[in-house]
Amino acid sequence: MAPADLRKEGSAYVLPLSVGILVASGQIIAPELKQYLLMGELALDGKIRAIKGALPIAIQALKDGFKGILLPKENEREAAIVKDLEVYGMENLTDVIAFFDGSKSFNPTEVDTRKAFDQQLKYPEHDFSDVKGQETIKRCMEIAAAGGHNIILIGPPGAGKTMLAKRLPSILPPMTLQEALETTKIHSVIGKIKNQGLISVRPFRSHHHTISDVALVGGGQYPQTGEISMAHNGVLFLDELPEFKRSVLEVMRQPLEDREVTISRAKFTVTYPASFMLVASMNPNPSGYFNDGKSGSAVTPFEMQRYLGKISGPLLDRIDLHVEVEPVPFEKLSDTRPAESSESIRYRVTTARKLQTQRFMNSKNTHYNAQMSPRQIRKYCALDDASSKLLKTAMESLSLSARAYDRILKVSRTLADLETQETITSDHIAEAIQYRSLDREGWLG
């Protein structure tokens, strides 16, 4: 099979090899064989089993000028997303033979991509209306969603960090058709589509801290996608961030910056998209609780420094919002009044994102505020005298690190967008400063 120097992998070649043998031996006549691409795993009883990567294969078949593609029945709707390509789902080898010798007629599978996208467009079952109290944290989640900012939640066990993180996708803007296609291709490569067609809900990926760097970022002898690519256009949640291995966190730094991950091997290089929002959580200190004197959880400055040292400065550089999550008091938990729903929050988020789309419409690599370059920050985050003076005072009095400066400006720009204001005010700066807990010198949780 050409090219001979490229090692083949997977069972999808069994069907084309079988048909090739039948044609070469004269057992069947298939004059139109060269016009069709065949892919599928062949069972011993002749049935054709599902394969991985049907959508990318169909896209490449169209680019290479094939008239159509024959593949397993389970993959037909996935491949039929591609327009101008005839897609035939086959149950068994007998059907394939009948297709080429004309003894049986088959109709190509057709999928109205736009209609299918609109029908499947829905939001996760988790809703912010389920969350009692935590108004400040909900506000932070709204800001993160509006500007695409990475966020870390700092609080004791049971404060609701995981519950809040799971609800973040419900307030993100609806996926565009292009984003849905990108996400579907990634999931198709690893066989996670299950003939559902387009993926229209933003992914939410969460894994235990024992995950390896290859599983998180991707790789292997024959590079496969990792969790960060599976979270493309969605959310990656890392619970108990300091418990992850240092090597795992460090390999994630570059993808966070470039929004893609490149895996190089001797003979080839593979690049996978990885544009995701990072949501992390951690305990305030090794004991798990704040040093408030109420839980008997005091730790020494040395223990605290060693705990925080597990998260490198360059990684924290890429997290815009540091938020402390306090346990919900009983009065809030027992309140029977409904909280604000994800739908109403999502409306404000979507409005802010539209402003950013218009602002960065001429920029190739910037789509929302969190992606702004230093030059764009200077252009779109200009401050008046009052705001500039407030920021300077905060930097000095709170001993904020230098890396906090750009983050505060980006978050302030998002706060102004949520209020549909053109200029950043001192109120926006003041609120953004509150969300830099880990940058404060001497912070001990």
Side-chain angles (χ1 to χ4, degrees):
M1 294 178 64
D5 64 333
L6 182 62
R7 179 170 178 146
K8 313 304 184 295
E9 181 185 345
S11 56
Y13 301 102
V14 181
L15 176 62
L17 285 172
S18 301
V19 174
I21 292 172
L22 291 173
V23 173
S25 62
Q27 296 182 61
I28 64 172
I29 300 175
E32 296 185 346
L33 181 61
K34 292 184 178 180
Q35 300 181 45
Y36 293 90
L37 179 68
L38 281 72
M39 296 297 283
E41 177 183 346
L42 199 60
L44 293 177
D45 60 358
K47 292 182 179 179
I48 302 176
R49 294 173 177 169
I51 60 172
K52 298 178 180 179
L55 178 56
I57 291 172
I59 293 173
Q60 190 61 44
L62 181 64
K63 290 180 180 179
D64 292 342
F66 285 96
K67 179 181 178 181
I69 180 173
L70 277 68
L71 74 176
K73 191 75 174 176
E74 294 179 46
N75 297 113
E76 62 178 353
R77 287 187 56 81
E78 177 185 342
I81 293 172
V82 181
K83 294 181 179 180
D84 303 321
L85 182 72
E86 295 180 5
V87 177
Y88 297 92
M90 296 293 164
E91 295 278 3
N92 49 55
L93 182 59
T94 303
D95 286 345
V96 177
I97 296 173
F99 175 86
F100 284 112
D101 65 18
S103 60
K104 185 178 179 181
S105 61
F106 295 86
N107 295 320
T109 303
E110 296 183 0
V111 173
D112 186 333
T113 306
R114 172 57 66 179
K115 183 178 180 180
F117 176 71
D118 292 340
Q119 288 178 344
Q120 293 182 29
L121 188 61
K122 58 184 179 180
Y123 300 98
E125 57 180 330
H126 302 294
D127 195 281
F128 270 96
S129 61
D130 303 326
V131 181
K132 301 292 185 181
Q134 303 290 22
E135 301 304 327
T136 301
I137 315 305
K138 291 179 186 178
R139 169 69 170 170
C140 294
M141 287 290 190
E142 180 179 340
I143 297 167
H149 302 287
N150 300 322
I151 182 173
I152 183 167
L153 306 176
I154 311 158
K161 302 186 296 294
T162 302
M163 182 182 187
L164 288 160
K166 286 183 177 180
R167 281 154 178 76
L168 181 58
S170 69
I171 62 173
L172 289 173
M175 293 182 77
T176 64
L177 184 56
Q178 182 61 36
E179 287 177 329
L181 286 169
E182 291 176 357
T183 305
T184 303
K185 282 197 292 184
I186 295 171
H187 287 248
S188 173
V189 168
I190 58 174
K192 297 293 185 179
I193 299 299
K194 298 180 180 178
N195 210 24
Q196 70 182 78
L198 278 174
I199 293 178
S200 59
V201 178
R202 294 189 181 276
F204 178 86
R205 308 294 297 183
S206 174
H207 271 270
H208 194 260
H209 58 78
T210 55
I211 189 173
S212 67
D213 51 354
V214 172
L216 182 67
V217 179
Q221 185 176 1
Y222 300 99
Q224 297 293 319
T225 58
E227 284 300 315
I228 62 174
S229 292
M230 292 289 288
H232 181 61
N233 291 322
V235 175
L236 176 67
F237 177 50
L238 300 183
D239 197 11
E240 303 299 340
L241 190 66
E243 301 302 323
F244 283 79
K245 291 187 295 185
R246 184 70 175 252
S247 61
V248 172
L249 297 180
E250 292 305 298
V251 296
M252 191 172 60
R253 281 165 43 188
Q254 199 62 35
L256 275 171
E257 191 73 23
D258 297 338
R259 306 286 172 173
E260 63 182 21
V261 56
T262 300
I263 305 169
S264 298
R265 294 294 179 265
K267 292 186 178 181
F268 56 90
T269 298
V270 180
T271 298
Y272 293 116
S275 180
F276 60 92
M277 281 184 61
L278 173 64
V279 180
S281 74
M282 60 178 286
N283 293 329
N285 61 46
S287 72
Y289 298 91
F290 288 105
N291 279 342
D292 53 9
K294 298 178 182 179
S295 54
S297 57
V299 297
T300 65
F302 173 75
E303 291 175 321
M304 191 63 209
Q305 189 64 39
R306 185 173 60 180
Y307 179 69
L308 292 177
K310 295 180 180 180
I311 309 172
S312 68
L315 180 60
L316 282 177
D317 276 347
R318 291 158 174 82
I319 301 178
D320 296 345
L321 297 165
H322 309 162
V323 189
E324 296 180 23
V325 184
E326 296 279 359
V328 182
F330 176 79
E331 291 75 13
K332 292 285 187 180
L333 286 174
S334 59
D335 191 348
T336 58
R337 291 174 296 178
E340 186 176 21
S341 68
S342 292
E343 183 177 1
S344 61
I345 301 174
R346 185 171 58 247
Y347 175 80
R348 296 193 295 270
V349 168
T350 303
T351 301
R353 282 287 186 103
K354 287 179 180 178
L355 292 175
Q356 295 165 49
T357 299
Q358 185 176 6
R359 177 182 302 134
F360 303 121
M361 62 185 302
N362 295 322
S363 176
K364 182 179 179 181
N365 299 318
T366 306
H367 305 288
Y368 40 83
N369 292 336
Q371 297 176 330
M372 282 193 292
S373 65
R375 180 177 297 179
Q376 290 171 324
I377 292 175
R378 291 194 297 270
K379 180 178 180 181
Y380 299 115
C381 300
L383 302 180
D384 56 25
D385 291 340
S387 299
S388 181
K389 184 177 180 180
L390 174 62
L391 181 55
K392 179 182 178 181
T393 302
M395 294 285 292
E396 295 174 350
S397 62
L398 299 177
S399 299
L400 294 177
S401 62
R403 65 174 175 252
Y405 181 78
D406 284 353
R407 306 303 175 199
I408 290 173
L409 290 179
K410 288 181 179 181
V411 173
S412 298
R413 178 68 267 171
T414 300
L415 289 167
D417 290 342
L418 282 169
E419 297 177 2
T420 63
Q421 293 187 15
E422 184 65 29
T423 58
I424 296 174
T425 68
S426 56
D427 289 340
H428 301 141
I429 292 293
E431 183 174 357
I433 291 170
Q434 299 177 37
Y435 307 137
R436 298 301 302 178
S437 297
L438 296 180
D439 277 330
R440 298 174 187 173
E441 191 174 278
W443 186 85
L444 293 178

